[in-house]
Amino acid sequence: MQLRLLLDAALDFIYPRIYCVCCGERLEKRAVHGICDNCCEAMPFIHDPRCHVCGKPAPEESETCPECRYHNHEYDRALAVFEYSATIRELIHRFKYNKEYTLSRTFGYFMTELLMECGWTADMIIPVPLHKNRLKSRGFNQSALLGDYLSQRINIPCEEDILIRSIDTKTQTGFHRQDRLKNLKNAFTVICPEKVEGRNILLVDDVHTTGATVDSCSKELRRAGAGNIYVITAAAVLSDLATGRRRQ
Amino acid sequence: MRGKEGNWEIWVKRPVLWLLAFYAGGLILFYRLPIRLLYIWIAMAAVFITGFLINRRVLFPVLLILVFLFGGLRSTIFYQRGNPLKAFTGQSIILQGTVRSQPQTEPDRIILVLETNEITAGENHCPIKAKVKVIIYPNEYGGDFSENRIELRTGDFLQVSGMLKEPSGPRNPKGFDYKSYLARRNIYSTLTVKESDVRFLREGSSLSLNRILAGLRDKSAEIIETAVRGQEGQFLKAILLGQRWLIEPDVIDDFTKTGLAHILAISGLHIGFLVLLLSRLQSLFKLNRKTALLFQILILTAYALMTGASPSVTRAVIMALIHLFGKAMERRSDIINSAGVAAFLILLFRPMDIMEVSFQLSFLAVVSIGLFEEPVRKGMDFFPGKLIPKKIASIIAATLAAQAGVLPLAAYYFNLISPVSVLANLLVVPVLGIVTAGGFLLLPLGAVLPSLAAVMAVPLRSLCRLILHAAEFASNLPLAYFRVVSPSVVTIIFIFLILWVISRERPAFIRHPSLACMVLIIVFLSGRLILGLAAPRELKVVFLDVGQGDCCFIQTPDKKNILIDGGGQAGTNIGENVLLPFLLKNGISSLDLIIMSHNHEDHISGLIPVIKQLKAKAFMQYPPVADNPVYIELKNAVKGKGIPIVTAEAGQTFRIGENTVLHVLYPEPDAAQALYDNNENNLSLVLLLEYGNASILFTGDIEKGVEYYLAGRMEKDAYVLKVPHHGSNTSSTDVFLKAVSPRAAVIQCGINSFGHPAEQVLERLADHSITVYRNDLQGAVVMYYREGQTRWRVETMLGNNE
């Protein structure tokens, strides 16, 4: 993964990132994340108040959202930068399927900003893994790219070989919460539990939908004796309830 | 958690441009700097070691310094490399070697670059590898090549025998530096031979890449030849295969004057049309993207190599490849950054290309298109109701934008400004698109189905003719172009700074571009004023090297410009090629006085273009007795421009500038009538120029009789004598030399069949211990005199005081 990012940085010499990743217009100087001021303003950032657990918008500060009250999450806390709107969906699609891995920098940049605000302390970054078949067909793991970026920026090692996906599950898209959980049952395995024991872990993924994936991962990590488990994602899908409240 | 900015965070920046700027800076600043290579190596090592011991944050600045020094290193290595064949210069030698260039086959000569394997001088066989420029002429002067001549191709192995020469540097101030031009191509010697001196030894290996490309090129040329005949065919070969030498000089002239010269050299426009054609073909044949990309890369690279990889083709192909590759990688290419990458790559392999006019023009054009095309195009949207269609708007915008960058350089190198170029490009560029696309299609078609190609060639030919006519038409329009003096390098730099400041890529710290522009202009003007005041006040006399003929330019301390004669030779246009460029490149666009010594062609024909194209305040002559066609043309030009004619006569004195006077010593009408002897030479004006203690005697072509007449009447000595009649033995008599008793003499002669300068004259000058300067050996002779000094300062262009 490091190599890929290096190659990407090398390509930047020939193809400088001077166009907005959304609209293609020339970027303002200092817009190091690759999104122009106009697009940045229109970006669906998730603002406070957030749910203390899942990080999605909540009625008031430090309060858990209705959803988290019904379903317990395996992780301790989660945060997401963007609401999974049409714009973000398109960007993430380009990132995952069009191999525009430079988008990892755009997302990574905002994720770093968010991390710096919240003041978590973690010992290692673990990206949500892909099954090796999927990795082969896609060529890269988008979560690992984000993890790498974060690792570079916040100086915490990114460990990709601790948690693996041992079962090639079906894609989660289109499933409901219960099905998602079922689909993911025992999908993840911690290879070397001694490395996570007693450590605080930052899980990284692209999208937080119902939290089933990260919950599954957290469960395995917990079983291996991990300490606090934090989750950071680029985007979060808001349930109707939450969005309804947000849009009042 | 705390975040840190990674070093590899390089968004919104174009690091390549920094690298390029520092590398090019090194190349330019170290050019001709007498510094030892070792010192540069030491400096590089020092920077390298210290740079990597300190904080890694300064990695990039360290890299920049290293790149700068590396540029300096390349420049110095180039500059210090001498002629490997110096020992053989001026000797009759036999060369054996391989043809390395595409032979330029013109009707009356063939030019090629030979890389030698072995040199034989007398009994000596030396295995030296060096490049030599070989020019082959037909056996008979002015004749044709023999019919069974072998077509020379790249890679052929030849033996050539002849006299090895070193090319000369600029022969006139700011003239064309042939020596450096060839040196940049690693060529330090030339060999001019007759066809019979060339022996074909063997063909090159048919497997080499060069050979295959040469074969492809020759085949393409053949296809074009059979399909499109005549001038249109030559034009097509020039724009498709880079064989620009096939186009006649006056056609090139039309294109240059109308700002269309870029069409004759393969460049971005042609490559752009080729890429467009390839992508159309790709969708036609439904190729998948990767295969198509591979094909495009192969075709473009082969094409660049085939056409000789000139800077403009290389630039265009590299930029096209970056663009295509980017498409495959989902990356958007940026025109300025791509240009920077292309420039950096080209300069890495051929560092001295930075001094090439074509390199500079090509990159400036593309960068200013990158900077200004979009704003200009958007600016045109303001015309009411979509007055200008989109396609046309983009052509206009691109032309205007390119002009911004090219204009200062066109003025500097060609002394031209062409307002007509926007119109001309608007007419020609769309047609050129069809012609290039058609031409590229014609090549494979002609190889497979010659009959179909012949049919296709008919409209193609008419379109070529249309372009040629358009260029001619545009160049004949009123105000199509005008001549300007070369701006100084500092002026050009200021113009580019201003362009940079008003572009959107200006440095971030400039908030108010108009304010910054004002500051720049004020700095520039005040700088000029100060430099102007500080400039030395001196008399400057330039005896130009116009080949066989007289021409002398005088600038008085208060910057009055006087021209005495203009040279001229049948067959070459000295006025257009030597005199006019000399004046314009040295910043002179108007003359206070033009003097004709007498009406012979070798003194006046060069004056005609000067009078037609520059301003002149007065024309001085002594009325000739016999007319000749050149003089009639000159007279008409003078009348046509309404320049007052001053008739000079012995006894007159003209104040031509501050403390500078011109005494007319001859002709005195009665004496002239007696001494005429049916020879206009004897009516030559004899003028004594005086400035303080300095004096020069101009004698035209006077012969013995006039010399004897004058010898008795010389009141003063002259410090410098322009030797009469190019050093002919019919002049420069002992009596005259004694009467004038000059300290220095200038002989204005070139290659000639009259035996000028005569041995006897040289002996007589030596007997009187007169220092002799000769245009034929030393190029132009430039003399300076500052008031109060006792001696003249003399510079000769070629330096060698033989």
Side-chain angles (χ1 to χ4, degrees):
Chain A
M1 281 305 152
Q2 278 287 344
L3 199 73
R4 212 178 268 281
L5 282 181
L6 266 176
L7 184 82
D8 198 52
L11 270 179
D12 282 354
F13 270 84
I14 302 167
Y15 304 99
R17 288 316 210 137
I18 53 176
Y19 300 103
C20 171
V21 292
C22 302
C23 63
E25 283 291 307
R26 262 308 292 274
L27 281 175
E28 292 81 12
K29 310 244 156 164
R30 305 271 128 229
V32 287
H33 39 66
I35 296 179
C36 70
D37 289 354
N38 280 340
C39 292
C40 227
E41 235 161 75
M43 279 287 165
F45 285 100
I46 296 176
H47 298 282
D48 288 336
R50 299 173 196 205
C51 166
H52 203 66
V53 181
C54 68
K56 295 178 187 180
E60 268 169 53
E61 176 78 89
S62 343
E63 202 186 298
T64 45
C65 65
E67 221 172 315
C68 291
R69 266 176 248 152
Y70 289 114
H71 312 285
N72 267 332
H73 284 295
E74 302 283 340
Y75 52 75
D76 291 294
R77 294 200 59 185
L79 276 176
V81 181
F82 299 113
E83 177 189 329
Y84 194 64
S85 69
T87 328
I88 297 296
R89 184 163 56 227
E90 198 207 315
L91 278 182
I92 286 187
H93 189 88
R94 276 164 53 191
F95 177 36
K96 279 164 78 168
Y97 302 108
N98 285 5
K99 300 185 178 172
E100 285 184 53
Y101 13 81
T102 40
L103 280 171
S104 65
R105 297 231 204 124
T106 303
F107 291 125
Y109 179 86
F110 290 111
M111 285 157 82
T112 318
E113 298 279 294
L114 192 59
L115 278 176
M116 284 193 270
E117 262 174 47
C118 68
W120 292 341
T121 47
D123 301 310
M124 63 175 72
I125 293 171
I126 293 185
V128 170
L130 283 184
H131 190 262
K132 62 177 192 286
N133 292 349
R134 183 76 65 85
L135 189 66
K136 217 176 200 172
S137 67
R138 187 176 293 172
F140 64 98
N141 176 358
Q142 73 280 0
S143 307
L145 285 181
L146 293 174
D148 267 335
Y149 180 93
L150 293 181
S151 150
Q152 290 261 2
R153 289 288 303 274
I154 60 179
N155 236 349
I156 292 172
C158 177
E159 304 284 354
E160 285 170 46
D161 304 325
I162 289 177
L163 186 69
I164 64 156
R165 205 170 191 135
S166 41
I167 299 173
D168 193 5
T169 55
K170 288 179 216 154
T171 174
Q172 294 281 73
T173 9
F175 281 1
H176 288 293
R177 185 179 167 85
Q178 291 310 318
D179 301 328
R180 283 179 181 240
L181 280 173
K182 210 194 282 168
N183 188 21
L184 281 173
K185 202 164 181 206
N186 299 326
F188 298 97
T189 315
V190 176
I191 291 193
C192 22
E194 68 279 2
K195 281 194 183 165
V196 285
E197 202 173 340
R199 301 298 185 87
N200 296 336
I201 285 161
L202 179 64
L203 262 176
V204 176
D205 201 3
D206 51 350
V207 186
H208 184 278
T209 312
T210 56
T213 313
V214 281
D215 273 342
S216 262
C217 292
S218 307
K219 203 167 158 188
E220 291 303 316
L221 289 168
R222 240 345 145 224
R223 198 184 293 166
N228 292 336
I229 298 175
Y230 303 111
V231 175
I232 184 130
T233 59
V237 179
L238 308 190
S239 64
D240 294 341
L241 203 62
T243 40
R245 186 171 304 131
R246 214 171 94 95
R247 289 181 188 145
Q248 278 171 19
Chain B
M1 286 178 201
R2 298 223 25 244
K4 74 173 170 79
E5 290 279 334
N7 263 335
W8 47 285
E9 193 78 55
I10 48 173
W11 293 58
V12 209
K13 287 168 197 163
R14 298 189 182 100
V16 169
L17 295 190
W18 285 100
L19 286 174
L20 174 68
F22 275 74
Y23 181 56
L27 283 175
I28 293 168
L29 288 179
F30 282 72
Y31 188 64
R32 300 199 169 168
L33 204 67
I35 191 167
R36 287 185 61 179
L37 276 186
L38 186 67
Y39 296 148
I40 305 180
W41 279 115
I42 292 171
M44 280 176 83
V47 172
F48 187 81
I49 292 164
T50 48
F52 284 92
L53 289 182
I54 336 172
N55 192 347
R56 270 189 56 194
R57 260 170 188 278
V58 294
L59 215 59
F60 195 62
V62 168
L63 190 66
L64 288 182
I65 297 172
L66 279 177
V67 164
F68 173 77
L69 289 171
F70 182 62
L73 191 74
R74 296 294 297 268
S75 217
T76 313
I77 288 176
F78 165 78
Y79 179 60
Q80 289 182 355
R81 187 173 45 204
N83 181 359
L85 302 178
K86 191 144 194 108
F88 298 98
T89 303
Q91 288 187 41
S92 258
I93 45 107
I94 302 170
L95 290 181
Q96 280 187 7
T98 319
V99 179
R100 279 287 173 237
S101 70
Q102 171 184 7
Q104 275 188 35
T105 312
E106 293 171 28
D108 57 342
R109 61 178 182 174
I110 301 169
I111 302 171
L112 50 86
V113 175
L114 202 68
E115 190 174 60
T116 61
N117 283 16
E118 192 183 82
I119 293 177
T120 314
E123 294 294 296
N124 264 341
H125 298 275
C126 298
I128 299 181
K129 249 180 137 76
K131 281 185 175 171
V132 176
K133 182 165 187 165
V134 180
I135 303 155
I136 306 169
Y137 281 99
N139 285 332
E140 257 174 77
Y141 178 74
D144 290 324
F145 284 105
S146 53
E147 285 190 356
N148 51 359
R149 175 172 64 94
I150 302 160
E151 278 292 336
L152 294 174
R153 299 211 331 231
T154 314
D156 284 342
F157 201 65
L158 305 180
Q159 178 176 317
V160 195
S161 52
M163 173 96 87
L164 202 64
K165 281 191 193 151
E166 229 175 47
S168 80
R171 298 193 69 99
N172 285 305
K174 307 226 169 141
F176 178 58
D177 190 347
Y178 189 47
K179 190 177 186 171
S180 306
Y181 170 83
L182 287 182
R184 287 198 294 267
R185 287 156 181 75
N186 250 335
I187 300 168
Y188 294 89
S189 306
T190 61
L191 194 65
T192 305
V193 296
K194 281 190 296 202
E195 195 185 348
S196 56
D197 297 327
V198 181
R199 260 183 64 205
F200 186 85
L201 294 182
R202 61 171 184 271
E203 275 192 23
S205 139
S206 53
L207 284 174
S208 78
L209 179 67
N210 274 333
R211 193 71 183 178
I212 294 167
L213 290 171
L216 213 60
R217 181 171 60 221
D218 292 346
K219 182 73 189 157
S220 309
E222 206 178 287
I223 290 168
I224 295 175
E225 187 100 16
T226 46
V228 186
R229 288 177 185 288
Q231 210 187 10
E232 293 84 1
Q234 313 285 49
F235 173 74
L236 213 51
K237 278 196 249 176
I239 62 163
L240 294 181
L241 305 175
Q243 299 174 331
R244 191 183 144 135
W245 58 86
L246 293 171
I247 297 182
E248 281 155 38
D250 48 328
V251 177
I252 292 186
D253 215 41
D254 283 344
F255 277 79
T256 313
K257 283 172 181 166
T258 48
L260 290 172
H262 63 103
I263 279 172
L264 297 178
I266 306 173
S267 62
L269 202 56
H270 307 70
I271 298 295
F273 286 127
L274 179 58
V275 171
L276 208 66
L277 179 74
L278 288 177
S279 62
R280 283 286 146 81
L281 287 179
Q282 171 204 342
S283 47
L284 197 69
F285 291 110
K286 301 204 168 55
L287 287 176
N288 83 31
R289 266 170 66 183
K290 275 196 182 137
T291 331
L293 181 70
L294 198 71
F295 266 114
Q296 282 168 332
I297 290 174
L298 277 178
I299 290 175
L300 286 173
T301 316
Y303 181 67
L305 292 173
M306 185 179 95
T307 56
S310 72
S312 59
V313 181
T314 317
R315 189 222 86 211
V317 166
I318 292 176
M319 288 180 68
L321 290 181
I322 289 175
H323 178 74
L324 291 170
F325 196 63
K327 260 187 166 171
M329 303 281 292
E330 300 288 346
R331 287 291 200 115
R332 191 165 152 189
S333 65
D334 163 59
I335 191 165
I336 290 170
N337 196 72
S338 301
V341 173
F344 195 66
L345 283 177
I346 292 175
L347 292 179
L348 220 48
F349 289 99
R350 299 191 302 220
M352 283 305 127
D353 269 10
I354 197 164
M355 303 287 169
E356 293 292 319
V357 184
S358 63
F359 177 92
Q360 297 168 0
L361 283 175
S362 184
F363 277 99
L364 277 172
V366 79
V367 167
S368 38
I369 287 176
L371 289 179
F372 299 114
E373 195 261 354
E374 202 190 315
V376 174
R377 185 156 38 82
K378 287 196 172 148
M380 269 186 287
D381 286 347
F382 288 110
F383 283 106
K386 297 263 174 211
L387 197 64
I388 305 166
K390 241 184 182 162
K391 284 239 164 89
I392 293 178
S394 73
I395 296 176
I396 296 177
T399 312
L400 280 174
Q403 287 293 321
V406 168
L407 208 76
L409 278 203
Y412 183 77
Y413 286 117
F414 311 122
N415 302 111
L416 272 174
I417 285 181
S418 322
V420 80
S421 77
V422 177
L423 179 71
N425 277 289
L426 196 61
L427 282 175
V428 168
V429 167
V431 185
L432 183 80
I434 305 171
V435 169
T436 33
F440 285 125
L441 282 175
L442 184 76
L443 297 181
L445 205 62
V448 187
L449 289 168
S451 48
L452 198 63
V455 175
M456 202 182 129
V458 177
L460 207 57
R461 187 170 176 207
S462 332
L463 289 175
C464 288
R465 201 179 308 145
L466 188 67
I467 293 181
L468 291 167
H469 280 319
E472 199 190 333
F473 170 73
S475 74
N476 286 325
L477 285 176
L479 296 178
Y481 64 93
F482 43 90
R483 297 276 181 181
V484 289
V485 297
S486 298
S488 69
V489 176
V490 179
T491 312
I492 290 178
I493 290 172
F494 265 93
I495 292 174
F496 286 142
L497 278 179
I498 287 174
L499 284 177
W500 188 26
V501 165
I502 61 172
S503 78
R504 60 179 180 192
E505 301 292 337
R506 66 176 153 267
F509 65 86
I510 294 177
R511 298 271 159 72
H512 310 285
S514 45
L515 193 73
C517 272
M518 295 252 281
V519 170
L520 275 175
I521 291 170
I522 289 167
V523 166
F524 174 67
L525 289 179
S526 51
R528 257 183 84 148
L529 199 69
I530 292 164
L531 285 181
L533 292 175
R537 299 171 70 80
E538 55 188 4
L539 177 72
K540 179 178 167 190
V541 180
V542 185
F543 291 94
L544 272 92
D545 178 10
V546 287
Q548 178 72 3
D550 267 19
C551 179
C552 180
F553 170 78
I554 301 160
Q555 190 167 55
T556 65
D558 54 340
K559 305 286 180 246
K560 293 273 191 297
N561 304 313
I562 297 113
L563 192 62
I564 304 180
D565 288 346
Q569 249 174 315
T572 57
N573 194 340
I574 295 290
E576 280 282 351
N577 298 334
V578 180
L579 186 50
L580 210 50
F582 162 79
L583 291 171
L584 291 170
K585 283 185 197 306
N586 288 284
I588 292 138
S589 61
S590 89
L591 291 156
D592 297 274
L593 178 62
I594 294 178
I595 301 171
M596 171 188 96
S597 70
H598 65 295
N599 73 355
H600 280 164
E601 187 184 9
D602 58 339
H603 292 250
I604 60 168
S605 90
L607 290 176
I608 297 167
V610 174
I611 286 169
K612 281 185 178 162
Q613 300 192 36
L614 303 185
K615 277 176 272 182
K617 288 187 188 141
F619 180 80
M620 184 192 280
Q621 63 163 15
Y622 182 78
V625 174
D627 260 345
N628 66 52
V630 185
Y631 177 62
I632 291 170
E633 200 190 337
L634 175 72
K635 218 162 51 179
N636 290 338
V638 171
K639 275 184 193 155
K641 293 273 275 192
I643 301 165
I645 297 177
V646 181
T647 304
E649 228 173 73
Q652 291 172 327
T653 295
F654 295 93
R655 220 184 105 84
I656 53 173
E658 184 190 82
N659 297 338
T660 317
V661 288
L662 198 62
H663 302 286
V664 184
L665 306 184
Y666 184 83
E668 194 273 313
D670 293 339
Q673 208 168 12
L675 292 165
Y676 177 53
D677 195 22
N678 250 340
N679 187 347
E680 289 293 328
N681 285 347
N682 289 325
L683 297 185
S684 295
L685 286 176
V686 178
L687 304 164
L688 184 70
L689 176 80
E690 270 192 307
Y691 170 64
N693 298 323
S695 55
I696 299 187
L697 188 66
F698 295 94
T699 56
D701 278 2
I702 56 165
E703 314 232 340
K704 274 191 197 104
V706 182
E707 288 194 353
Y708 290 143
Y709 168 81
L710 281 170
R713 286 169 177 75
M714 286 298 293
E715 287 164 10
K716 294 177 196 163
D717 292 350
Y719 198 95
V720 180
L721 169 70
K722 196 230 57 122
V723 173
H725 203 177
H726 324 288
S728 161
N729 197 23
T730 54
S731 318
S732 307
T733 53
D734 269 318
V735 183
F736 183 64
L737 292 180
K738 203 168 168 205
V740 181
S741 64
R743 305 280 284 279
V746 180
I747 304 178
Q748 293 216 276
C749 65
I751 298 165
N752 65 82
S753 51
F754 312 111
H756 295 165
E759 278 303 320
Q760 298 91 324
V761 170
L762 294 176
E763 277 167 26
R764 285 202 287 272
L765 289 168
D767 286 346
H768 287 84
S769 52
I770 300 166
T771 314
V772 176
Y773 298 97
R774 286 171 60 173
N775 284 148
D776 58 340
L777 299 178
Q778 294 160 306
V781 179
V782 189
M783 299 181 156
Y784 301 92
Y785 185 84
R786 214 176 281 188
E787 189 148 36
Q789 283 175 334
T790 51
R791 292 176 63 85
W792 288 74
R793 186 156 56 87
V794 183
E795 282 167 12
T796 57
M797 286 311 291
L798 300 184
N800 48 335
N801 275 337
E802 280 179 51

